[in-house]
Amino acid sequence: MTDQVSPANVKRPLLVASVMLATLMQALDTTIANVALPDMQGSLSATQDQISWVLTSYIVAAAILTPVTGWLAGRLGRRRLLIIAVSGFTVASLLCGIASGIGEMVLYRILQGLFGASLVPLSQSLMLDSFPREKHGAAMAMWGMGIMVGPILGPPLGGYLTENFSWHWVFLINLPVGLLALFGIMASVPRETLHKRSLDGIGLALLVIGIGALQMFLDRGQGEDWFGSLEIQIEAVAAVLALYFYGLWWFHRRERALLDLGLFGNGNFAISSALILVVGVVLFATLALLPPYLSSLMNYPTLLIGLVLAPRGVGTMLSMMLSGRLLGKVDTRWLLLTGMLLMVWSLHGMSQFGPAVSQQAVIWLGFIQGLGMGLVFVPISTVAYATLPAHKRTEAAGLFSLVRNIGSSVGISIVMTLLARASQINHAEIGARIPAFGAETTLLGPVWDTSTAAGAALLNAEVTRQAVAIGYANNYWLMMWLTLAATPLLLLMRRPNAAVSAAGAAANAH
């Protein structure tokens, strides 16, 4: 028995369906609870700070355990670990759905994150090993649909379930999905040879402290006024020191370290990781910005917000299917370049959003952005592993997922901080240009007459709308330049035809 799953010996359709269900379930839960938070807050009698832990606890727990996936897969085998992960995630989802207090909910969300952490890297490595090399592009296209479309479809699905049923179903919907995935995995994923190695306890402790502190720093920084808070200062110092010492620890124990940083020595894997970091920033930062923008400035109801955002997922699915077919026939770097430029185009359009924007613009630009992300995600996910040994894929997939998750956390934290601060600054600057009294107030009209309390309140509300709109536009502008700045990295990427295209040509010759 070999480490790699033999394409000829797996029940491939059932394996693909089962792995896709597990991946989609985990990816959905990164965003599906967002729109249900107001209902959950009242039902669980939680404060605003407490209810935010429903999101934070899941993200932190998943981030902490993701780097351990490679070691766990070596000790338990991917099949057994996947069964444990899906079972635990499903049970934790049930517990979340029946939670009666905020303490219970946070505990069960931590369990969800811990069990769900290994689902993405395990599913990716299994999909790669279950297909011959010339079909890796198609495999990553199918797998990527769950990873990319899940977070996009989370808000509309969560909005629909919350509005028509209750917030409990945001979690309970995982039960049938999890059970189907579990039975499929048990029937289709073969056993394999274990590669046991001793647990790097010191490395694990440093990673848990470093990644946990980093996630806490990013998730709570804005609410705690960043470095004005002692808690945030402690988390920042802990993250920097722990990750620095892990780097030193790995350098001296390369063969036995928990997470192999030497994988970044592979040029294509390193460049792919840098690009997926940018994709993580843009994907999740955009998803964090658009719902509140449409809700607060456009007054869209929750369900309509979900419907307006849905075409983004359609664009992603279409481009993933297309890129899966084109890999091996077209230079991967051209697909990546096209995808990056489509993302730049869409972000430039979003940077033109004002206090009001047409529904068609939101839908069209979201669709274009979805197309771009799909064209980037599939080639990156294929090329990243194309030149790595097969036995390194699970560990590399864990590291790759960790980089993407850090990108999403960094992106959300940055845009939310910039939005809050830009809104304050813009409000002050706009307000300074408005005459406060005297004959000049006639320029504002009777509705905004600042000499009356009602007029002053209405004027202040409009200034706030304008200030917030500028803050949103600046964030999209920043993400556009970030994406554009990352594009030249494609020049450093080795032409992957040796690993992907040549195999595809050999297959086509037959």
Side-chain angles (χ1 to χ4, degrees):
M1 188 176 291
T2 62
D3 175 69
Q4 189 169 356
V5 180
S6 173
N9 295 328
V10 298
K11 302 172 183 177
R12 188 181 296 159
L14 182 57
L15 183 146
V16 169
S18 305
V19 165
M20 282 288 296
L21 279 176
T23 303
L24 181 62
M25 179 176 65
Q26 193 276 345
L28 271 172
D29 266 59
T30 59
T31 58
I32 195 172
N34 294 32
V35 294
L37 288 184
D39 292 70
M40 293 170 62
Q41 183 176 350
S43 177
L44 299 175
S45 302
T47 64
Q48 184 64 42
D49 185 59
Q50 288 173 335
I51 202 64
S52 68
W53 278 91
V54 173
L55 302 180
T56 303
S57 57
Y58 178 86
I59 295 171
V60 172
I64 287 174
L65 207 64
T66 297
V68 191
T69 300
W71 178 81
L72 287 173
R75 296 288 296 184
L76 302 174
R78 288 184 298 185
R79 183 179 188 275
R80 186 181 300 174
L81 179 57
L82 198 55
I83 290 172
I84 292 172
V86 173
S87 302
F89 192 91
T90 305
V91 171
S93 298
L94 171 63
L95 294 174
C96 287
I98 62 176
S100 58
I102 187 62
E104 292 179 26
M105 175 60 77
V106 171
L107 173 61
Y108 300 148
R109 283 288 278 175
I110 290 174
L111 290 177
Q112 252 195 331
L114 292 176
F115 283 111
S118 59
L119 288 179
V120 171
L122 283 177
S123 63
Q124 187 172 22
S125 64
L126 275 170
M127 289 285 281
L128 286 169
D129 286 353
S130 300
F131 285 81
R133 189 179 292 276
E134 65 270 15
K135 293 186 178 180
H136 279 184
M140 286 300 93
M142 289 185 285
W143 174 81
M145 287 182 193
I147 294 298
M148 296 290 285
V149 176
I152 294 171
L153 294 184
L157 180 59
Y160 174 81
L161 292 172
T162 303
E163 197 164 299
N164 291 280
F165 301 97
S166 72
W167 65 263
H168 302 275
W169 283 97
V170 167
F171 302 105
L172 295 178
I173 194 175
N174 286 336
L175 298 185
V177 178
L179 289 174
L180 284 173
L182 179 61
F183 293 142
I185 289 166
M186 294 173 68
S188 64
V189 178
R191 293 177 174 84
E192 55 193 346
T193 302
L194 303 183
H195 295 275
K196 294 184 179 181
R197 58 177 178 174
S198 59
L199 177 62
D200 177 15
I202 294 178
L204 176 60
L206 290 172
L207 281 176
V208 167
I209 295 171
I211 295 172
L214 176 63
Q215 289 289 338
M216 293 290 291
F217 168 78
L218 293 171
D219 292 331
R220 292 180 55 78
Q222 173 57 28
E224 299 295 326
D225 194 29
W226 291 104
F227 290 102
S229 163
L230 179 61
E231 174 198 336
I232 301 302
Q233 293 174 11
I234 293 173
E235 288 163 358
V237 171
V240 171
L241 289 179
L243 294 177
Y244 171 75
F245 283 121
Y246 181 81
L248 293 179
W249 180 254
W250 168 82
F251 185 78
H252 293 290
R253 291 173 57 94
R254 296 189 184 192
E255 296 301 321
R256 300 176 61 189
L258 182 66
L259 190 64
D260 185 10
L261 301 182
L263 290 167
F264 288 124
N266 181 290
N268 278 5
F269 183 79
I271 295 170
S272 297
S273 297
L275 291 175
I276 204 65
L277 181 76
V278 174
V279 171
V281 169
V282 173
L283 172 62
F284 284 91
T286 304
L287 288 175
L289 289 172
L290 274 175
Y293 170 81
L294 296 174
S295 175
S296 61
L297 294 183
M298 303 294 293
N299 298 315
Y300 283 16
T302 301
L303 189 56
L304 182 57
I305 292 174
L307 293 175
V308 168
L309 295 181
R312 178 188 305 270
V314 175
T316 302
M317 286 190 288
L318 288 175
S319 60
M320 281 184 168
M321 288 188 289
L322 176 63
S323 58
R325 291 180 176 273
L326 291 178
L327 277 174
K329 302 175 183 177
V330 178
D331 189 335
T332 310
R333 293 171 296 183
W334 285 111
L335 293 176
L336 290 169
L337 177 62
T338 303
M340 298 289 280
L341 293 179
L342 284 174
M343 289 168 60
V344 169
W345 179 19
S346 66
L347 289 167
H348 179 268
M350 291 176 178
S351 70
Q352 309 303 308
F353 285 0
V357 66
S358 70
Q359 217 173 88
Q360 291 78 7
V362 177
I363 291 172
W364 172 245
L365 289 171
F367 178 76
I368 293 296
Q369 191 172 102
L371 285 175
M373 288 185 173
L375 285 176
V376 171
F377 190 82
V378 174
I380 285 181
S381 300
T382 305
V383 173
Y385 310 103
T387 53
L388 290 176
H391 70 277
K392 287 285 188 180
R393 284 178 186 156
T394 301
E395 188 170 5
L399 185 56
F400 198 66
S401 297
L402 178 63
V403 171
R404 189 184 68 250
N405 290 338
I406 290 175
S408 66
S409 296
V410 169
I412 292 171
S413 298
I414 289 176
V415 297
M416 287 305 178
T417 299
L418 292 178
L419 178 63
R421 299 196 173 183
S423 300
Q424 295 173 352
I425 294 171
N426 295 333
H427 189 285
E429 291 186 355
I430 296 172
R433 289 167 170 78
I434 296 177
F437 53 83
E440 292 174 317
T441 57
T442 58
L443 296 173
L444 301 173
V447 176
W448 289 343
D449 186 353
T450 55
S451 63
T452 66
L458 287 173
L459 178 59
N460 182 67
E462 181 59 28
V463 170
T464 300
R465 287 182 72 248
Q466 298 286 342
V468 171
I470 295 172
Y472 280 112
N474 289 344
N475 271 319
Y476 292 125
W477 189 257
L478 175 64
M479 285 190 285
M480 181 198 77
W481 281 108
L482 173 64
T483 306
L484 199 58
T487 303
L489 288 174
L490 299 178
L491 299 174
L492 302 177
M493 182 178 286
R494 278 194 304 147
R495 179 169 179 154
N497 63 334
V500 180
S501 301
N508 292 333
H510 297 286

